[in-house]
Amino acid sequence: MSDRPPLPPFTAETAAQKVQVAEDAWNSRDPQRVSLAYTEDSVWRNRDTFLTGRAEIVAFLTAKWERELDYALRKTLWASTDDRIAVRFQYEWHDADGQWWRSYGNENWEFDAHGLMRRREASINDVPITAAERRITGPRSDAEPELPLR
């Protein structure tokens, strides 16, 4: 098994790095790439959906990004301990009818010694927005401020 740095135990700096690595992977919209950050038997709760293992993660993300078009995400470190990280996030996307959405949420992550996520619990709410209200339009810039909650 290969390591996925940064590895636990996390410091504030390495936890922030782990969050940025996750944001970059999810913004790729590549289910296979994203799934490699999780253990083979990773357990997820995503809203009201419960998943176990990489195959289910890939299937879930494939369907997600077929439905959530032009998906763009921002994650922010909320807190961390030795092997756990809490994140708040926002992402924007539009549906097949052209309606834009901003999805807000919190995630709790637990990692194994190799830096793979063995547990992910996500609570997410969706708010309809207009195209003019979008705030996330591309890759994160170094000077980008933290996104407001509303």
Side-chain angles (χ1 to χ4, degrees), residues 74-78 88 90 140 143-149:
R74 294 295 183 270
K75 290 183 182 282
T76 304
L77 175 65
W78 189 259
R88 83 176 181 101
Q90 296 179 35
R140 182 186 293 264
E144 183 177 298
E146 186 173 312
L147 292 171
L149 284 176

Side-chain angles (χ1 to χ4, degrees), residues 44-124:
W44 279 28
R45 180 187 60 78
N46 193 90
R47 300 177 193 243
D48 61 350
T49 302
F50 296 84
L51 311 168
T52 302
R54 284 188 185 158
E56 289 185 16
I57 291 169
V58 169
F60 174 85
L61 293 175
T62 298
K64 172 185 179 64
W65 290 320
E66 287 173 354
R67 181 179 66 253
E68 296 179 1
L69 306 173
D70 293 322
Y71 172 100
L73 166 74
R74 294 295 183 270
K75 290 183 182 282
T76 304
L77 175 65
W78 189 259
S80 64
T81 62
D82 289 344
D83 66 348
R84 295 178 184 192
I85 295 175
V87 176
R88 83 176 181 101
F89 63 88
Q90 296 179 35
Y91 61 90
E92 294 174 347
W93 55 282
H94 67 86
D95 60 28
D97 294 329
Q99 172 62 57
W100 280 94
W101 299 87
R102 184 173 301 122
S103 300
Y104 297 93
N106 299 293
E107 292 177 322
N108 296 313
W109 302 341
E110 183 180 11
F111 294 87
D112 71 6
H114 298 282
L116 294 170
M117 197 181 304
R118 64 178 157 222
R119 183 170 195 87
R120 173 184 174 267
E121 298 199 17
S123 298
I124 307 167

Side-chain angles (χ1 to χ4, degrees), residues 4 21-38 44 54-55 57-66 68 70-73:
R4 298 282 298 202
V21 167
E23 177 183 304
D24 294 344
W26 279 68
N27 277 326
S28 75
R29 293 179 245 155
D30 179 344
Q32 286 291 354
R33 175 182 172 191
V34 172
S35 75
L36 296 176
Y38 301 91
W44 279 28
R54 284 188 185 158
I57 291 169
V58 169
F60 174 85
L61 293 175
T62 298
K64 172 185 179 64
W65 290 320
E66 287 173 354
E68 296 179 1
D70 293 322
Y71 172 100
L73 166 74

Side-chain angles (χ1 to χ4, degrees), residues 133-144:
E133 293 174 302
R134 290 182 59 212
R135 296 191 287 235
I136 306 171
T137 57
R140 182 186 293 264
S141 71
D142 291 337
E144 183 177 298

